[in-house]
Amino acid sequence: MKNKAAPIDIATLVDESLLAFIASDDVQDTLQGVRRGIEREMVRVTLKTARLA
C-alpha cells in the first residue's frame, strides 16, 4: 500500500513563505530604515508648519 501525500495548500504555503520573508533580518532592517525616514520627514514637516503658523 502506497502512502498518499497530503495535497499542498498553496494559500498556506504562500502565507508561510511571506511571513518568513517579512520576519527575515534584511527585511526588518529595511523596514526600520523606512520607519526612521518617515519619522524624520514628519518632524521636518511639523517644524516647517509650526514656523509658518
Side-chain angles (χ1 to χ4, degrees):
M1 182 198 293
K2 283 188 173 182
N3 288 339
K4 289 188 177 181
I8 297 172
D9 181 18
I10 299 299
T12 300
L13 184 62
V14 169
D15 288 346
E16 289 173 0
S17 296
L18 188 56
L19 286 173
F21 173 73
I22 291 170
S24 71
D25 288 341
D26 289 341
V27 172
Q28 290 299 313
D29 290 346
T30 300
L31 290 175
Q32 184 64 29
V34 168
R35 196 174 296 122
R36 285 188 193 122
I38 291 170
E39 289 169 353
R40 276 193 305 270
E41 188 63 17
M42 288 172 61
V43 168
R44 187 186 71 76
V45 169
T46 302
L47 291 174
K48 186 175 182 180
T49 304
R51 280 188 223 132
L52 294 175

